[in-house]
Amino acid sequence: MKIPTFPTTYLTYLAILGSIPHNVLATDVLSTKGFMSCLDDSKVKLKKMDIQFDKSTNQVNFDVGGRSQLEQNVTAVLSISAYGKQIYSKSFDPCKNDPHVEQLCPVPKGDFSAAGKYKIPESYSSMIPAIAYNVPDLDAKSKMQLKTKDGNGKEQDIACYESNVTNDKTAEVPGVSYAAAAIAAGALLVSGLSALAGGASKGAGSQSSPTFTEVIWYFQGIAMNGMMSVQHPSVYRSFTSNFAFSTGFVPWTGMQKSIDNFRSKTGGNLTGDSVENLENSQLIFQQPGSSSDLNKRAIVDDLVKRALVFARDVETSVNGSSTGDDSGAKGSEDAKEQKYVKGIEAYVAKFVVPKSNTFMTVLLIFAIVLAAIAAGILLFKAILEAWALFGKFPKKLTSFRKHYWWILAKTNTNLILVLYGVWTLYCVFQFTQGDSWAAKVLAGVTLGLFTLILVGFTWKIWSIANKFKKLEGDSSAGLHENKEVWRKYSIFYDNYKKNYWWIFVPAIVYMFLKGCFLAGANNHSLTQTAGLLIVEALFLILLLWLRPYSLKSGNWINISIQVVRVVSVVCILVFVEQLGFSQTTQTVTGVALIVVQGVLTGVLGILIAVNAIINCVKMNPHRRARKEREKAKDLDALTPLDAHNSLLMYPMDSKDGKGQHPEMVTTHARGRSENGYDMLPLRDESNDRLAVKPGSAGTDVSYHDRTRSISPVENQRRQPQLPDLGYKGLAI
């Protein structure tokens, strides 16, 4: 019997997927990964089903077992689908020779198992496309149905099982996570260096886009796409897992066990939601019978049928009695419990984090990061103090030494600002899905505290802006020109134009709404996606309308990032089950998303490297403008008797041919000199007199009156003049 080959269309899709980075160390092996029943009332219950094909040996190893309620003759139907399209279907009678399957002829009553290995002829194994062994997250599956005839000769289903097939290649690659983390670390380093170069505190972020905050928000957006309650293509789900670190997730089994213990003591239920339960479960990301019918994981299950044809060295067991030779068989443990997961629960389950542990996991990691930041700043402070005892450290570190407590507070505030969106998400998810009352209390307290901190800073900045608006008519003057205000609060608005300093407020609201929609509408894919699309689109319109960033490059970079966010949510609409898009369309859309988001990630990395160079030689525009205004104020404060009075004299380079300065006019007569300067007459000392201070009659208090009597006409004609210092017309 001929095994069908992949159509050209599917080979094209596989070629695109094969270009995505994956684990190149894996061998050419196809294997089943879990199984699930597709029949509610199955008369045959499978307990385990492990099947593996190794191309290098053309050998299939299998181990299956289950329990049947009665002995009966059956007809088996094997179907195979890839990327949502059925590519093979065959019905056969195990008791006949096309092929004859002794283990199923008939299906025995009670417990049964079969394990063994099969040799597949080269003519069959060569028909599997080579690319099927290299495509990351191979998207195919097989279905086995057992049917029997009732007394009226009518067929009825007694068992139905689906099994996914994998080649152990995946788009969830540690190298991608390391590269993304390196990009974020580079952005943080550039932020710190530019802050030190600009005289600001570490973490102030006085730099060009993309900043550390913008990079982390972008990575969080990719991760949050993977948390949505839609039927993601497996390749895109794996890709989004590479950015989980930006949301505070780090795999740590020991921590999960401690959280389980905490939950068990505070009202939590560990029966079906614990790390131990999750480790012993097989995750199912597609609900059986859904409209999209996620028909995953290709070709391999065809080998199941071929294995039955060419059986060798098979061990069988019926009700505890075994037959055959077990020399080549490799038994497996009892089947893992099938656990259907979706949305945020599905995303965190890949890191062996139970859904009820989600918030506590992030809380503990956040506490560790805060402690590390505090320890680092205090250690650096101690180093500076020791340095000061034995030598003189650079002047720029003086500000850190003097204001280290404020720097610590500001750094922690910046961390809260970076994580506020995902923190809202996890807290709302804890309220709706958590079972521990203590964890819910912690979620409410921390979310309220973080919100109050951001609201407090917002109110303070707003009040400062209003104060300067009343005094100087410009609300942004104090925020950008006052050095002390800038040092304390610039982390919120340093990258915005002076007139748009308030943009950080809608940015915070945007993050809050995004987290609320994602967690609040969990498991409601259409509502969740529509809400996120509205939020993302409104923020994009705001950026396009105002273009609030101080640098043109900042506007275009952030607008581009927001465009990618909107496009990503539009594409995710394709994954919504209710809309009924085919699996082929969903897979192609997922690959397109990976390409777009991956390219933008690389571009951000390049821009960060460029900024590292630019920020070393270029001062922050707001700080540069403030310095220029300070210099201008110094010049405005000059008086005629200051040493700077030389500015009113002849230019220093105005010399005659002999190298001497021209003579200065010494007359007190009014009118312009021949060189164009009006001379200022000496004060009439006769007008100086002691006089009684007005309003102090009858007292001995006096003051020195320096006023002069000048006629109105003379006062109108008076022009600025140089004083006669008695140099007889010669300049010294």
Side-chain angles (χ1 to χ4, degrees):
M1 182 169 53
K2 183 178 178 181
I3 299 179
T5 58
F6 270 137
T8 304
T9 304
Y10 295 109
L11 290 177
T12 303
Y13 297 151
L14 292 174
I16 296 174
L17 289 169
S19 64
I20 300 173
H22 50 77
N23 186 1
V24 297
L25 298 178
T27 57
D28 290 342
V29 174
L30 299 174
S31 60
T32 59
K33 185 178 181 181
F35 63 91
M36 60 183 177
S37 175
C38 47
L39 184 65
D40 292 336
D41 185 20
S42 179
K43 301 296 188 301
V44 178
K45 305 287 186 180
L46 281 186
K47 296 181 179 180
K48 56 185 176 181
M49 184 172 71
D50 297 320
I51 304 172
Q52 184 183 80
F53 170 71
D54 190 339
K55 182 182 179 182
S56 62
T57 61
N58 283 342
Q59 181 173 287
V60 171
N61 294 324
F62 92 102
D63 188 358
V64 296
R67 180 179 181 82
S68 176
Q69 296 180 3
L70 66 161
E71 180 179 314
Q72 52 192 328
N73 292 319
V74 298
T75 300
V77 179
L78 176 67
S79 59
I80 302 169
S81 58
Y83 297 98
K85 298 293 184 180
Q86 182 172 293
I87 60 175
Y88 178 81
S89 181
K90 177 67 176 178
S91 177
F92 63 96
D93 187 344
C95 295
K96 295 182 179 180
N97 293 326
D98 187 24
H100 178 73
V101 183
E102 183 177 353
Q103 294 90 340
L104 298 179
C105 182
V107 174
K109 180 180 179 180
D111 296 330
F112 67 91
S113 65
K117 59 183 180 180
Y118 305 94
K119 190 74 174 180
I120 301 297
E122 180 70 25
S123 58
Y124 291 107
S125 61
S126 62
M127 301 178 69
I128 302 175
I131 198 171
Y133 299 99
N134 298 307
V135 173
D137 298 285
L138 185 62
D139 202 9
K141 77 171 184 180
S142 68
K143 179 190 292 185
M144 174 67 76
Q145 295 173 278
L146 297 179
K147 299 183 177 183
T148 188
K149 292 183 179 180
D150 57 18
N152 299 325
K154 185 178 179 181
E155 284 189 342
Q156 62 178 2
D157 292 334
I158 61 171
C160 176
Y161 287 93
E162 295 177 337
S163 178
N164 294 332
V165 178
T166 178
N167 55 15
D168 292 329
K169 307 292 194 306
T170 177
E172 185 180 353
V173 183
V176 176
S177 297
Y178 297 150
I183 291 175
L188 179 61
L189 180 62
V190 171
S191 297
L193 292 177
S194 61
L196 289 175
S201 301
K202 183 178 180 181
S206 301
Q207 63 161 324
S208 302
S209 293
T211 64
F212 172 71
T213 300
E214 292 164 355
V215 170
I216 290 297
W217 282 353
Y218 172 66
F219 289 165
Q220 288 175 353
I222 297 177
M224 292 167 82
N225 287 344
M227 297 180 187
M228 298 179 68
S229 302
V230 297
Q231 294 297 343
H232 300 90
S234 56
V235 64
Y236 185 69
R237 183 187 301 111
S238 297
F239 174 76
T240 60
S241 299
N242 294 318
F243 300 89
F245 72 91
S246 65
T247 67
F249 267 105
V250 177
W252 193 344
T253 303
M255 176 187 290
Q256 298 308 315
K257 292 181 178 178
S258 299
I259 296 174
D260 282 346
N261 292 333
F262 172 80
R263 287 175 47 220
S264 66
K265 298 176 181 179
T266 55
N269 183 6
L270 305 185
T271 303
D273 190 28
S274 66
V275 63
E276 182 179 357
N277 176 269
L278 200 56
E279 288 177 332
N280 295 322
S281 299
Q282 175 64 49
L283 299 181
I284 304 297
F285 297 99
Q286 168 66 24
Q287 187 175 19
S290 63
S291 59
S292 62
D293 197 25
L294 185 71
N295 296 320
K296 296 182 183 255
R297 316 214 178 253
I299 290 199
V300 180
D301 296 349
D302 196 13
L303 297 176
V304 177
K305 181 172 180 290
R306 291 296 156 189
L308 297 177
V309 179
F310 300 101
R312 298 290 186 274
D313 302 325
V314 179
E315 178 190 13
T316 62
S317 174
V318 178
N319 294 324
S321 62
S322 61
T323 61
D325 182 8
D326 63 352
S327 59
K330 180 181 179 182
S332 66
E333 300 177 355
D334 290 341
K336 292 184 176 181
E337 177 186 354
Q338 307 303 300
K339 187 177 183 65
Y340 172 67
V341 291
K342 187 177 183 180
I344 299 174
E345 180 185 5
Y347 190 85
V348 301
K350 297 190 70 174
F351 301 96
V352 198
V353 177
K355 66 177 182 179
S356 298
N357 290 14
T358 303
F359 168 75
M360 291 300 300
T361 300
V362 179
L363 176 63
L364 291 178
I365 293 176
F366 177 79
I368 293 172
V369 173
L370 280 185
I373 291 174
I377 291 178
L378 294 177
L379 177 61
F380 191 53
K381 162 68 174 176
I383 293 174
L384 290 182
E385 293 298 334
W387 192 350
L389 294 176
F390 300 99
K392 185 178 181 181
F393 51 81
K395 183 179 179 181
K396 288 185 177 179
L397 297 179
T398 304
S399 176
F400 179 91
R401 182 186 179 192
K402 182 179 179 182
H403 304 289
Y404 72 99
W405 280 113
W406 183 258
I407 292 172
L408 176 60
K410 188 169 65 172
T411 303
N412 290 336
T413 301
N414 200 23
L415 182 61
I416 292 173
L417 182 63
V418 169
L419 296 177
Y420 187 65
V422 295
W423 198 270
T424 301
L425 183 155
Y426 292 137
C427 289
V428 174
F429 185 70
Q430 178 66 35
F431 298 150
T432 57
Q433 302 292 327
D435 55 7
S436 167
W437 62 264
K440 291 183 179 181
V441 170
L442 288 173
V445 170
T446 54
L447 180 60
L449 179 62
F450 290 178
T451 303
L452 285 176
I453 289 174
L454 295 180
V455 170
F457 273 95
T458 300
W459 176 83
K460 184 63 177 179
I461 294 171
W462 205 283
S463 62
I464 292 174
N466 287 335
K467 174 183 176 181
F468 278 90
K469 184 176 182 180
K470 293 177 181 179
L471 294 177
E472 302 183 14
D474 184 3
S475 61
S476 63
L479 299 179
H480 295 85
E481 298 174 16
N482 188 292
K483 188 174 183 179
E484 189 67 15
V485 173
W486 174 266
R487 183 177 62 82
K488 290 182 178 180
Y489 306 110
S490 61
I491 58 173
F492 290 93
Y493 57 83
D494 62 343
N495 287 323
Y496 301 127
K497 296 176 183 177
K498 291 200 304 181
N499 293 335
Y500 297 124
W501 58 266
W502 47 268
I503 287 295
F504 75 90
V505 177
I508 292 174
V509 174
Y510 157 76
M511 292 185 293
F512 178 80
L513 292 177
K514 191 172 179 179
C516 287
F517 266 111
L518 191 57
N522 188 52
N523 293 330
H524 298 84
S525 56
L526 187 59
T527 302
Q528 185 185 64
T529 308
L532 287 177
L533 181 59
I534 293 173
V535 173
E536 298 286 8
L538 289 176
F539 196 64
L540 175 60
I541 293 172
L542 180 67
L543 293 182
L544 288 172
W545 183 265
L546 298 179
R547 298 184 183 180
Y549 292 87
S550 57
L551 298 178
K552 184 180 293 186
S553 59
N555 281 312
W556 288 113
I557 290 172
N558 283 278
I559 288 174
S560 299
I561 291 175
Q562 191 60 29
V563 167
V564 170
R565 290 191 184 120
V566 173
V567 171
S568 297
V569 179
V570 171
C571 291
I572 288 174
L573 279 172
V574 177
F575 308 153
V576 175
E577 297 175 84
Q578 293 91 323
L579 300 183
F581 286 94
S582 67
Q583 182 66 24
T584 301
T585 303
Q586 292 178 347
T587 302
V588 173
T589 304
V591 173
L593 274 177
I594 293 175
V595 172
V596 172
Q597 293 175 343
V599 168
L600 184 54
T601 300
V603 170
L604 291 179
I606 295 173
L607 291 174
I608 289 170
V610 173
N611 284 340
I613 300 174
I614 295 177
N615 287 325
C616 290
V617 297
K618 185 178 181 181
M619 187 183 295
N620 177 273
H622 296 309
R623 184 171 183 269
R624 181 176 63 247
R626 188 178 68 248
K627 291 292 185 182
E628 292 175 353
R629 285 189 291 270
E630 289 175 356
K631 291 180 180 179
K633 288 181 179 179
D634 289 341
L635 293 177
D636 292 341
L638 297 180
T639 64
L641 296 181
D642 283 335
H644 296 83
N645 191 45
S646 58
L647 296 173
L648 301 177
M649 298 182 182
Y650 297 102
M652 296 303 294
D653 58 351
S654 177
K655 299 181 179 180
D656 57 14
K658 299 179 181 180
Q660 301 294 327
H661 288 282
E663 293 185 355
M664 299 178 65
V665 179
T666 60
T667 179
H668 293 291
R670 302 198 181 276
R672 293 187 177 274
S673 68
E674 60 181 2
N675 291 297
Y677 289 100
D678 291 334
M679 309 309 295
L680 182 66
L682 293 175
R683 184 177 66 244
D684 186 358
E685 299 293 341
S686 62
N687 290 326
D688 294 345
R689 61 188 182 278
L690 289 173
V692 179
K693 185 175 181 181
S696 59
T699 67
D700 295 330
V701 180
S702 304
Y703 73 99
H704 198 68
D705 185 7
R706 297 283 186 177
T707 59
R708 290 186 299 151
S709 177
I710 303 176
S711 65
V713 177
E714 181 179 338
N715 187 45
Q716 293 176 1
R717 294 173 54 201
R718 180 175 180 268
Q719 299 293 332
Q721 296 180 356
L722 288 173
D724 186 356
L725 301 179
Y727 297 136
K728 306 301 182 182
L730 298 176
I732 296 178

